[in-house]
Amino acid sequence: MLLTKILFGLHVSLLPSAFAFTPINNNFAPVRLKSRHSLSLSSASPEDESAEDREARMDMVRQLQKSFYQNEDVILPPERGSTIIKDLPLWRVQWTELPGFQNVLNVHVAHYTNMFQKVLFSDTNPKYFGHIYLPGGSDNLDNPEYKLEEGTKASMVGVLMQIADYKQLDDGRLVLIVQAVEKFRIVEAQRHHSPYAIATVEILPDEEFIDSFDDGPGDGDTHVKAVESAFQLHPYEVRPVTIADCAMEGETQGISVSPLSNFDAEYKIPETITKGNIDAHDTIFEAEQKVWIKLDVMLNLLQQLVDPNNEHAPPIPTQIVGLLPLKPYKPWPEHFALAKYATKLEIEKILVGTFSRSPFVRVDNMEGYSPYRRAQRLSFMIPVLTDSVIALANEEGNTRQDLLEMESTEERLDAALQKLELICNVILELLQNK
């Protein structure tokens, strides 16, 4: 039996109005732990210190920090004609992040607090750092078996992150809202060890997006053009989120964010953007449509199982619904419910998100946005659903790190389709035995 667990309360946590998800380990096992996406901001302070004194003390600390970190090197996007980012500080931790995701980080380890302070006080925006998977986290930072070199146990593919906002607490901890924007491969590590790793990295868009810039012999480096276009698209693909946007009230103050970044409805892609060619018959769009159709089937089966009276909206994040193609590879099947749901969200101009509210965005409505990037985004976001529904035993080659290291969007979509088919078969069996 492939089924090891099914979370029958999924539809509650996945509703667009209250979507929250806990990043999980690299084995795709669903968990019920308190999410890193929700974090208490309370911190201890001396009992004899007034609020005014504490604020004055923290203001002094911030001024000292600005003075101490004022000459830090800036981390810049690749220079024109390049795919390389130099001297990128790396946050090596126990889980894999994927492009299109966002998170709340509680940074309390001294060496990483120092690293993030250097990034925060550098004179540049966006403020970048690298996220890369390391089993055991800081415990293995100086382990030679995980030295950042080919041939070791170290993961060499990670994700470029940008810091959307931050807050420093009275006890020195940093609370960061971070967003994953692009995949990279380590070219050379300048430092492998404590206090934190630093490396030169190469940005890696998927093969299909790179190939879309191939206009024939002598037309320049397609990889370079794809990277240039990708960075021009980031402001549309990743809506800025502030801590103030995400504040929640309760017994203790805190912040909460959706695990998926939303597109920015107010951003307009410039006409000067580097554009690739679109092959309307590319097999990637056929693979994309197969995933959407199977996803629609899975959601229908899941609602029959846990919400037979259809009292709730489809259990799918609206950030994913917005990726539904306006002009599909072939017409949608007659009973394809997601197309109707996406149209309903557009007409109602719904605001999505639990704490940070923003307009629903149908990404194809933005002129100049590449359908290859749309398909790539879907291929990275599908795990937020499949990981939450069912844990499948003996599943090899489908960890988040495996998905990140796939060089092709179509390969990643095929992997998603296989997992959706397995989940549908399991739910069908449950329905038959109900």
Side-chain angles (χ1 to χ4, degrees), residues 278-333:
I278 301 171
D279 181 355
H281 301 288
D282 198 316
T283 55
I284 184 179
F285 302 125
E286 182 178 10
E288 179 188 31
Q289 185 171 41
K290 287 180 179 178
V291 168
W292 277 113
I293 292 172
K294 186 59 66 173
L295 179 59
D296 190 71
V297 171
M298 186 200 77
L299 294 172
N300 179 267
L301 290 173
L302 190 62
Q303 285 201 296
Q304 291 180 47
L305 186 66
V306 300
D307 183 26
N309 296 323
N310 291 324
E311 296 176 354
H312 302 282
I316 178 173
T318 53
Q319 297 95 324
I320 294 181
V321 178
L323 297 172
L324 189 70
L326 284 172
K327 297 179 180 179
Y329 181 77
K330 294 179 180 178
W332 297 116

Side-chain angles (χ1 to χ4, degrees), residues 219-277:
D219 196 48
D221 191 325
T222 56
H223 189 175
V224 168
K225 291 180 180 180
V227 170
E228 181 178 292
S229 180
F231 276 80
Q232 291 172 322
L233 291 172
H234 288 170
Y236 176 52
E237 293 178 325
V238 184
R239 176 184 173 272
V241 178
T242 69
I243 285 180
D245 291 336
C246 303
M248 59 182 183
E249 295 293 336
E251 294 182 2
T252 59
Q253 277 196 327
I255 57 175
S256 181
V257 297
S258 164
L260 301 178
S261 296
N262 198 15
F263 284 71
D264 191 342
E266 298 180 0
Y267 185 80
K268 301 299 179 186
I269 296 176
E271 295 181 1
T272 55
I273 189 173
T274 305
K275 295 180 181 179
N277 299 312

Side-chain angles (χ1 to χ4, degrees), residues 49 53-65 168-172:
E49 184 178 41
D53 289 342
R54 184 165 62 253
E55 179 59 33
R57 173 171 57 82
M58 289 305 299
D59 185 61
M60 182 179 296
V61 169
R62 285 188 284 268
Q63 293 302 319
L64 288 170
Q65 287 172 336
Q168 184 161 24
L169 306 184
D170 294 358
D171 59 8

Side-chain angles (χ1 to χ4, degrees), residues 63-304:
Q63 293 302 319
L64 288 170
Q65 287 172 336
K66 289 180 180 179
S67 176
F68 183 78
Y69 291 113
Q70 64 180 345
N71 295 318
E72 294 304 323
D73 294 333
V74 298
I75 308 301
L76 298 172
E79 297 178 354
R80 188 171 183 82
S82 173
T83 60
I84 298 296
I85 294 180
K86 298 178 180 179
D87 301 322
L88 184 69
L90 301 179
W91 193 49
R92 302 181 70 190
V93 287
Q94 301 97 316
W95 76 92
T96 299
E97 197 64 281
L98 297 174
F101 282 65
Q102 59 188 11
N103 213 332
V104 180
L105 305 184
N106 174 18
V107 184
H108 57 86
V109 180
H111 52 274
Y112 282 130
T113 301
N114 176 45
M115 183 191 86
F116 282 113
Q117 291 283 13
K118 289 188 175 188
V119 174
L120 289 167
F121 287 106
S122 63
D123 188 21
T124 185
N125 278 300
K127 298 187 184 300
Y128 293 125
F129 68 96
H131 178 129
I132 197 159
Y133 172 59
L134 175 63
S138 294
D139 290 343
N140 278 324
L141 192 57
D142 293 322
N143 186 339
E145 293 184 350
Y146 292 97
K147 190 175 183 179
L148 289 170
E149 292 179 347
E150 296 292 345
T152 69
K153 293 182 179 180
S155 299
M156 300 295 284
V157 176
V159 177
L160 183 68
M161 310 287 293
Q162 65 184 28
I163 300 174
D165 199 9
Y166 80 101
K167 177 181 179 69
Q168 184 161 24
L169 306 184
D170 294 358
D171 59 8
R173 283 182 295 148
L174 286 172
V175 177
L176 308 169
I177 296 178
V178 298
Q179 299 169 312
V181 294
E182 210 68 49
K183 182 171 71 173
F184 67 73
R185 178 188 293 116
I186 292 175
V187 176
E188 181 182 9
Q190 281 71 52
R191 184 168 68 204
H192 305 261
H193 51 74
S194 298
Y196 55 87
I198 300 174
T200 295
V201 305
E202 182 174 39
I203 301 299
L204 295 177
D206 280 354
E207 289 177 347
E208 293 88 350
F209 186 59
I210 293 175
D211 291 344
S212 73
F213 292 89
D214 186 1
D215 292 328
D219 196 48
D221 191 325
T222 56
H223 189 175
V224 168
K225 291 180 180 180
V227 170
E228 181 178 292
S229 180
F231 276 80
Q232 291 172 322
L233 291 172
H234 288 170
Y236 176 52
E237 293 178 325
V238 184
R239 176 184 173 272
V241 178
T242 69
I243 285 180
D245 291 336
C246 303
M248 59 182 183
E249 295 293 336
E251 294 182 2
T252 59
Q253 277 196 327
I255 57 175
S256 181
V257 297
S258 164
L260 301 178
S261 296
N262 198 15
F263 284 71
D264 191 342
E266 298 180 0
Y267 185 80
K268 301 299 179 186
I269 296 176
E271 295 181 1
T272 55
I273 189 173
T274 305
K275 295 180 181 179
N277 299 312
I278 301 171
D279 181 355
H281 301 288
D282 198 316
T283 55
I284 184 179
F285 302 125
E286 182 178 10
E288 179 188 31
Q289 185 171 41
K290 287 180 179 178
V291 168
W292 277 113
I293 292 172
K294 186 59 66 173
L295 179 59
D296 190 71
V297 171
M298 186 200 77
L299 294 172
N300 179 267
L301 290 173
L302 190 62
Q303 285 201 296
Q304 291 180 47

